[in-house]
Amino acid sequence: MFGRTSIPDSNLPKPVSGPALVPAAPMNGMNILSATASPTQSSSPTPSQQGRSSPFAQAAVMTQSTIGTDLTILGEKITIISQNRLQIDGDVRGDINGRQVVIGEEGSVVGTISAEAIEVRGGVRGAIKAHSVTLTPTAQVEGDIYHIALSIAEGAQFDGRVRRAKDANELKPNLDVNSFPATQKSVAQTN
């Protein structure tokens, strides 16, 4: 049933080459291996290191971020900012700014959502501001919708007002992180 088969080496995946391990000077009678880059290995930073000078710098560009079904984000004056597509399948109690926001069927948002395009499949309680807004048949929205283009599918539940913006710039989401006030409070040290 289980046996060895002969697979030509050309069909096996090639191992990923990492840093070479070379012996370092012995320390307290112990031999230590040290990682050094091989001559063929590029010394350029990895994609996650490019453009980031510290852990608090802006992240590298990603194509999609997801808030999963097992995640709940809540707090006072929370704002989530996404530079690209944001899929929300969990529960968010705060404001959201992004380029494209999709509220999944299991997702819910209590707060204001501002984006270039918003698709609601789940629940939203709060204002929706976008150039293009789509409510699918499973959407449940309680709040006002500010838009240029609006699509509401049969079966979607909507309770609120609809306002068409006169100027598309009114609906442009704020994606500049530095324009938001810092909310961290300094902690006083007591002796």
Side-chain angles (χ1 to χ4, degrees):
M1 181 161 102
F2 296 103
R4 290 188 154 215
T5 59
S6 93
I7 300 174
D9 286 344
S10 61
N11 291 341
L12 293 175
K14 301 292 181 207
V16 177
S17 63
L21 295 177
V22 296
M27 216 168 79
N28 295 335
M30 296 179 359
N31 287 330
I32 300 174
L33 295 178
S34 172
T36 61
S38 66
T40 59
Q41 190 176 14
S42 163
S43 64
S44 63
T46 63
S48 64
Q49 294 170 329
Q50 293 174 350
R52 294 192 75 174
S53 59
S54 77
F56 299 106
Q58 186 174 358
V61 176
M62 299 178 80
T63 56
Q64 176 175 320
S65 298
T66 302
I67 296 174
T69 57
D70 63 332
L71 189 60
T72 298
I73 299 174
L74 49 101
E76 291 184 33
K77 298 181 183 178
I78 297 245
T79 300
I80 297 172
I81 299 170
S82 174
Q83 298 297 326
N84 288 305
R85 186 173 195 266
L86 175 61
Q87 173 82 29
I88 300 173
D89 294 322
D91 183 23
V92 176
R93 306 218 179 141
D95 296 337
I96 298 171
N97 291 344
R99 293 209 191 283
Q100 181 182 9
V101 177
V102 177
I103 312 300
E105 289 185 24
E106 298 294 319
S108 67
V109 174
V110 176
T112 299
I113 305 172
S114 297
E116 293 171 7
I118 298 173
E119 180 179 339
V120 181
R121 300 176 193 158
V124 174
R125 187 175 299 141
I128 295 175
K129 299 176 181 182
H131 183 274
S132 170
V133 179
T134 303
L135 304 184
T136 67
T138 56
Q140 297 178 7
V141 176
E142 294 178 26
D144 296 345
I145 298 176
Y146 303 89
H147 68 92
I148 297 292
L150 174 63
S151 171
I152 301 177
E154 186 177 341
Q157 297 176 22
F158 170 62
D159 184 12
R161 295 180 300 183
V162 175
R163 300 277 187 240
R164 183 175 171 92
K166 293 178 181 167
D167 184 11
N169 289 329
E170 294 176 32
L171 302 175
K172 192 169 185 174
N174 183 0
L175 302 178
D176 181 16
V177 175
N178 296 323
S179 70
F180 289 89
T183 58
Q184 290 185 344
K185 297 178 182 176
S186 61
V187 177
Q189 202 172 26
T190 60
N191 292 334

